[in-house]
Amino acid sequence: MIEIVGSDVVKVASDMGRFTRFVWQSIQGAIWSCTKKRTYPLIWAQMLIIGVRSVSVIMITGAFVGMTLAIQAYDQLAGMGLEEHLGVLINISVVSELGPVLAAVMLAGRIGGALTAELGTMKVTEQIDAVRSMGVNPVRYLVAPRVLACLLLTPALIIYADLMGIVGGYFVSVIQLGINARAYWSFSAAGVEMWDVSVGVIKGFFFGAAIAAISCYKGFTCRQGAEGVGRACTEAFVSSFICILALDFIIVVIAKAIYNTFWTIKSLV
């Protein structure tokens, strides 16, 4: 029993060490790619795949999140005569939590799986070894453009998700449920601060980097055969999902502490 536990601990520590080294090499490769103009076409191509082609999925997700929140929360607020405050609840939930998290989860499923499958197939067919044999660093050539594209475009996609969530909540609240539009927007503007929107967008940088790093690592280290690629895709999505939730919790705690500290100082002044 002790030997089994010890071997598992050693395996986990070894995997964490390899992943940390891979992330460090990816950071170095991303910095190198930013300084070399010949790598820009690779980055633009990944931006097209990761960003532009994901806009429709992200917007649909955000719209349904806002509409669902409006339907679920209306009865509770209407019972207390606070239905005009529905916009505050919807918009804060969308821009600070549900929009960023669900958009990142959708990207982990759509983009993360694609990155893992693509790099995993290249690993199985020895294309990565061929790139390395030609004297080209595969991390700089294959990983860095994907990491940069995810890092830069995930916040932009989160903004799209937030926008459609707000529009979807407005559509259900005002047009379907008959809430006064002026009161809806007035209470929303008073309740939602720029800080809430900024924190939600900042989360996108961390989510995008985590999705790209985990997906590319799983693709680079997948086992041989179709089964190995499929298992790597599944592991990439599960690991990305857990990492998104963990990062969300950590960022929320830090942001809340910063906000409370500066708000207390401002109030005392």
Side-chain angles (χ1 to χ4, degrees), residues 21 68-69 90 101 104 112 202 230:
R21 181 182 178 184
T68 303
L69 279 175
I90 295 172
V101 171
I202 290 172

Side-chain angles (χ1 to χ4, degrees), residues 94-151:
V94 168
V95 301
S96 63
E97 286 299 327
L98 293 178
V101 171
L102 291 180
V105 170
M106 290 298 297
L107 287 176
R110 183 187 182 280
I111 301 302
L115 294 180
T116 304
E118 183 180 7
L119 294 177
T121 303
M122 295 179 69
K123 170 71 181 303
V124 170
T125 57
E126 299 181 351
Q127 295 182 49
I128 294 178
D129 294 333
V131 172
R132 189 179 288 110
S133 67
M134 291 187 294
V136 179
N137 189 330
V139 175
R140 290 181 178 179
Y141 182 75
L142 299 174
V143 176
R146 290 165 171 82
V147 171
L148 284 173
C150 282
L151 179 67

Side-chain angles (χ1 to χ4, degrees), residues 15 30 146 151 160 187 214 268:
D15 290 340
R146 290 165 171 82
L151 179 67
Y160 277 107
F187 287 118
I214 293 173
L268 292 176

